[in-house]
Amino acid sequence: GKGATMSETLYDRLGGEAGISAIAKDTINNHLINPKIMVRFQGADTAKLHQLVVEFFGMGSGGPQKYSGRDMKEAHRKMNINEEEFVAVIDDALKALDKNKIDGATKNEVLGILYSLKADIIRL
């Protein structure tokens, strides 16, 4: 057997559009009840947010999606997000990945992507 081949993209391992959609939904739902960041999401258009997260992660993980939102810097400008809030978002994403039974290696890859965005998100 060849084991996991490179042809199995992160997109496939996250379960394609349906998998990413479920993970995005769970992550956003976690944000809405997370005391550290819920205030950031009050009154947010969560349906639109969900769509953008699915597009962003679909595109970024090898799927066919095209991201239609503003770039990360632009989207988070003037929000002055701090380190603690950034970590809270990542924790919520981790919980969602666990809930959706995503394996450790795949989870680490997603975390790597999230951490790579940090400079474009915090303290802007």
Side-chain angles (χ1 to χ4, degrees), residues 24-112:
K25 186 167 169 236
D26 290 336
T27 301
I28 292 165
N29 286 339
N30 290 343
H31 292 347
L32 295 173
I33 56 170
N34 185 330
K36 289 185 178 138
I37 54 175
M38 57 198 274
V39 62
R40 294 273 190 189
F41 293 91
Q42 275 166 7
D45 181 348
T46 51
K48 178 74 176 159
L49 184 62
H50 177 263
Q51 181 201 335
L52 291 174
V53 170
V54 172
E55 287 173 3
F56 186 84
F57 254 88
M59 187 176 84
S61 62
Q65 289 78 3
K66 295 276 175 277
Y67 177 61
S68 63
R70 295 170 297 167
D71 71 57
M72 288 295 117
K73 261 204 161 96
E74 199 46 53
H76 297 92
R77 198 180 297 290
K78 299 203 169 62
M79 286 178 67
N80 199 24
I81 295 166
N82 65 33
E83 196 95 16
E84 188 185 18
E85 289 174 310
F86 183 78
V87 170
V89 164
I90 295 210
D91 282 345
D92 286 348
L94 265 180
K95 284 184 196 135
L97 290 164
D98 285 337
K99 183 181 170 192
N100 287 278
K101 312 264 190 293
I102 300 300
D103 69 277
T106 302
K107 231 165 44 174
N108 286 340
E109 213 168 315
V110 171
L111 281 180

Side-chain angles (χ1 to χ4, degrees), residues 7-22:
S7 67
E8 189 161 47
T9 59
L10 178 57
Y11 182 73
D12 295 328
R13 286 179 284 132
L14 290 170
E17 172 131 24
I20 290 173
S21 181

